[in-house]
Amino acid sequence: MEIKIGAHVSISGGFIKALDREEKLGGNCGQVFVHSPRVWKFGKLSEKEARNFREEYNKRGWGPILVHSNYLINLATPKPDLFKRSVETLKEELRRAKMLGMEYVVFHPGSHTGSGEEKGIQSIIQGLNMVKEVIDDNTKLLLENTAGKGTSLGKNVDQLSQMFEKSKLTFDEAGVCIDTCHAFSAGYNIHTEKGLDDFVEEFDSKIGWDNVKAIHLNDSKYSQGSEKDEHAHIGEGKIGEQGMENIVNHPRIKEKPLILETPVDKEKGYRENIEKVADLMKN
Ligand SMILES: [Zn+2]
Ligand SMILES: [Zn+2]
């Protein structure tokens, strides 16, 4: 089985550059933003530019590519203006991903910021129903599990499964991206063999493992249950070397596209982390 692995790369200089960056890292799948993650506005994307990208992407013959959603989007917000803007932005990201032939848009379900879990989840479900109209077979929406920081929702399997059960989205239209750092920070002991098996099992029984379309493979700077969202180099965080070895060798995990969002600093970048994963897989 060929492992699919890649990283979140920049689109600076154009989308095709992102393909080159991915290959340079030794990647064969990946992730990009389609606009700046901390501003609402979008740059221009012509049909011609999109077509050129699609052709080039098809030629390379690898994938998938995920579009990571903007960080400002919050479908759980009680503020009507922010909710509306979030829905519109997520729709536009889906449209752009479709134009570019990218397979998934992944987003964090949102934070209720004080309105409570139940209302927050209701709001997310309403938002999902509104973006449904721009989803088609080629580009699906992925919900990402969160670390549970503050009032963020989607930190456990039950919350995610509610979002699917109660929204009108089908599993042909949507799925999940599991972030290993977030799951660990949210309290799952996925660094142990037993904990990891239990987690996969719970996911499979409540959402269906087939509906997990990608893994954000990250170590965590903070301890299990810390609810903090800070990624660490593979094997150097609190999940640790043994924990990451268990994760990358788990047959149900390594069958998914593995996408790194590890830090890029003076000592290490994605390339070193991708090599580290390859080393751990040999053990
Ligand atoms: Zn992630
Ligand atoms: Zn994160």
Side-chain angles (χ1 to χ4, degrees):
M1 184 183 75
E2 200 210 356
I3 299 295
K4 286 199 172 287
I5 189 162
H8 181 104
V9 295
S10 157
I11 54 161
S12 126
F15 287 102
I16 290 176
K17 285 269 168 64
L19 299 175
D20 297 337
R21 287 191 184 103
E22 209 66 72
E23 287 178 1
K24 234 177 131 187
L25 297 170
N28 58 5
C29 66
Q31 181 173 277
V32 295
F33 291 122
V34 286
H35 60 146
S36 165
R38 300 195 190 277
V39 297
W40 291 107
K41 77 172 184 3
F42 288 85
K44 278 206 179 85
L45 175 64
S46 67
E47 179 46 44
K48 181 164 176 272
E49 189 188 349
R51 190 184 340 113
N52 286 344
F53 174 83
R54 283 199 309 270
E55 282 170 10
E56 188 58 35
Y57 178 38
N58 287 337
K59 233 192 278 172
R60 311 253 176 149
W62 48 262
I65 297 178
L66 278 66
V67 169
H68 199 296
S69 193
N70 181 295
Y71 294 137
L72 303 173
I73 289 179
N74 184 4
L75 293 186
T77 180
K79 296 181 190 156
D81 287 356
L82 178 57
F83 177 78
K84 191 165 170 259
R85 202 159 198 193
S86 297
V87 169
E88 286 314 315
T89 305
L90 192 51
K91 276 185 175 176
E92 183 58 22
E93 288 176 346
L94 279 155
R95 283 188 206 105
R96 290 191 175 217
K98 259 201 291 200
M99 279 175 80
L100 292 159
M102 295 178 181
E103 291 85 344
Y104 302 107
V105 172
V106 55
F107 85 111
H108 300 177
S111 298
H112 66 70
T113 65
S115 65
E117 191 177 311
E118 202 183 323
K119 277 211 168 122
I121 291 179
Q122 256 171 31
S123 174
I124 291 166
I125 290 162
Q126 193 193 342
L128 293 175
N129 291 342
M130 291 164 81
V131 302
K132 180 181 162 86
E133 64 181 40
V134 295
I135 301 175
D136 65 14
D137 287 351
N138 300 318
T139 303
K140 299 175 187 191
L141 186 64
L142 301 183
L143 278 65
E144 178 170 351
N145 66 308
T146 63
K149 191 175 152 198
T151 62
S152 78
L153 297 164
K155 62 183 174 186
N156 57 44
V157 186
D158 284 325
Q159 286 186 350
L160 289 170
S161 94
Q162 271 191 63
M163 295 172 199
F164 286 107
E165 265 170 35
K166 295 181 184 162
S167 78
K168 291 183 185 135
L169 287 181
T170 67
F171 284 116
D172 288 329
E173 295 164 327
V176 181
C177 173
I178 294 175
D179 189 305
T180 53
C181 164
H182 300 177
F184 178 75
S185 294
Y188 291 99
N189 55 343
I190 56 166
H191 57 305
T192 70
E193 267 180 73
K194 166 91 169 65
L196 184 61
D197 276 342
D198 289 348
F199 178 71
V200 170
E201 174 84 6
E202 187 188 354
F203 229 101
D204 191 32
S205 70
K206 292 180 179 164
I207 295 179
W209 194 253
D210 285 348
N211 300 315
V212 177
K213 300 302 182 189
I215 306 285
H216 279 167
L217 189 68
N218 301 309
D219 206 329
S220 170
K221 222 173 195 171
Y222 293 96
S223 53
Q224 185 199 344
S226 63
E227 298 191 341
K228 288 201 175 128
D229 181 2
E230 243 187 276
H231 304 176
H233 293 303
I234 302 296
E236 293 181 16
K238 299 289 185 195
I239 295 179
E241 178 118 358
Q242 185 59 54
M244 290 309 306
E245 188 179 315
N246 294 341
I247 291 171
V248 299
N249 286 297
H250 194 289
R252 307 304 307 272
I253 301 270
K254 70 198 278 192
E255 67 185 11
K256 309 289 183 189
L258 306 173
I259 295 162
L260 281 79
E261 299 170 320
T262 44
V264 175
D265 54 34
K266 273 192 205 132
E267 278 108 69
K268 282 184 175 183
Y270 289 132
R271 171 170 267 286
E272 291 79 6
N273 278 293
I274 288 175
E275 282 165 2
K276 178 74 185 176
V277 172
D279 280 349
L280 291 173
M281 281 177 170
K282 281 184 211 139
N283 293 346

